């Protein structure tokens, strides 16, 4: 009886202690490693939806043209190929470039081209001329990227990444032209953020 009691106490105590040390500690370490600091990469979270919209619009255009030609009895292989090419061109026009940013680098990837710029070594930031205003970024290596400012307004993490790196460039003395453009963009983003808060709270 004493041996059973002793064995029960030592076995149970030892097992619980082992589980407590290995199981719990190991699990907490794993969770801590997985749930660490979030990644520094930011991207346009609305791009996938805009791509679907571009595809839908192109398909709708192609379908409408084919239906009209079929109803008029004028549909041929040549005309079908022509309408398909037109729909593809329409898709290319509607599809916006995909913008991503990581520490020190911002990339704009189009359907056929990719442009990137070192955001921590910017030399100029300015607004482009024209009806559709774009933010033009240039770096020390000659890199150049044009970005729609609405992308930064709709994606605060992207703006935060660019703002942080541009401050680094300003501190290093490479960014000689662009403080005004960045300040205006920051003011616009602040206004949009305040408007969003008012809408959510029901004050607007």
């Amino acid at each position: 009886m004493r041996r059973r009691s002793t064995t029960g106490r030592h076995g149970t105590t030892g097992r619980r202690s082992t589980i407590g040390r290995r199981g719990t500690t190991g699990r907490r370490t794993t969770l801590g490693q997985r749930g660490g600091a979030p990644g520094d990469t930011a991207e346009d979270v609305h791009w996938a939806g805009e791509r679907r919209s571009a595809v839908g619009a192109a398909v709708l255009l192609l379908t409408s043209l084919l239906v009209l030609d079929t109803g008029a009895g004028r549909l041929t292989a040549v005309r079908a190929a022509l309408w398909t090419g037109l729909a593809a061109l329409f898709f290319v026009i509607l599809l916006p470039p995909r913008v991503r940013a990581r520490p020190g680098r911002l990339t704009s990837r189009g359907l056929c081209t990719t442009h990137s710029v070192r955001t921590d070594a910017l030399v100029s930031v300015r607004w482009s001329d024209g009806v559709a205003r774009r933010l033009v970024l240039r770096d020390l290596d000659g890199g150049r990227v044009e970005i729609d400012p609405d992308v930064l307004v709709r994606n605060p993490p992207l703006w935060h990444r660019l703002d942080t790196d541009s401050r680094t460039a300003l501190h290093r003395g490479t960014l000689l032209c662009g403080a005004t453009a960045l300040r205006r963009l920051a003011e616009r983003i602040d206004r949009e953020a305040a408007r969003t808060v008012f809408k959510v709270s029901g004050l607007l």
Side-chain angles (χ1 to χ4, degrees):
M1 293 298 292
R2 290 181 180 177
R3 180 178 298 179
R4 292 181 180 177
S5 177
T6 304
T7 303
R9 287 197 304 270
H10 286 292
T12 306
T13 304
R15 188 175 181 182
R16 289 179 179 174
S17 177
T18 302
I19 293 175
R21 289 196 302 268
R22 295 181 181 178
T24 307
T25 305
R27 188 175 183 182
R28 287 179 180 174
T29 302
T30 303
L31 291 175
Q33 291 172 349
R34 291 181 180 178
D40 292 327
T41 301
E43 64 179 357
D44 183 5
V45 297
H46 303 282
W47 181 83
E50 293 178 346
R51 180 184 59 181
R52 288 192 296 269
S53 298
V55 171
V59 171
L60 180 61
L61 175 63
L62 177 60
T63 303
S64 301
L65 292 173
L66 293 178
V67 168
L68 288 175
D69 259 9
T70 301
R74 295 181 300 177
L75 183 62
T76 62
V78 175
R79 292 178 68 88
L82 177 63
W83 299 145
T84 302
L86 181 62
L89 178 61
F90 188 54
F91 168 74
V92 171
I93 294 174
L94 292 180
L95 182 67
R98 187 171 191 175
V99 180
R100 286 181 174 177
R102 58 182 175 83
R105 180 72 62 177
L106 185 142
T107 303
S108 177
R109 186 184 301 274
L111 195 61
C112 302
T113 60
T114 300
H115 301 280
S116 65
V117 68
R118 289 180 55 195
T119 47
D120 59 352
L122 292 173
V123 295
S124 70
V125 179
R126 65 178 180 82
W127 293 104
S128 65
D129 298 328
V131 178
R133 301 193 70 186
R134 295 290 186 269
L135 196 66
V136 183
L137 312 175
R138 294 180 181 271
D139 65 11
L140 280 173
D141 300 330
R144 182 178 182 275
V145 169
E146 290 190 17
I147 181 175
D148 185 351
D150 289 338
V151 173
L152 299 175
V153 173
R154 297 194 306 263
N155 297 271
L158 268 176
W159 162 245
H160 175 70
R161 185 73 268 160
L162 175 60
D163 183 48
T164 300
D165 288 344
S166 64
R167 292 176 188 273
T168 301
L170 189 62
H171 178 72
R172 291 175 177 175
T174 62
L175 184 57
L176 303 177
C177 175
T180 302
L182 290 173
R183 185 176 65 252
R184 289 178 179 176
L185 182 58
E187 291 172 354
R188 178 184 172 186
I189 292 175
D190 290 341
R191 288 195 301 269
E192 292 294 335
R195 185 177 293 109
T196 301
V197 171
F198 289 149
K199 285 183 179 179
V200 172
S201 59
L203 299 178
L204 189 63

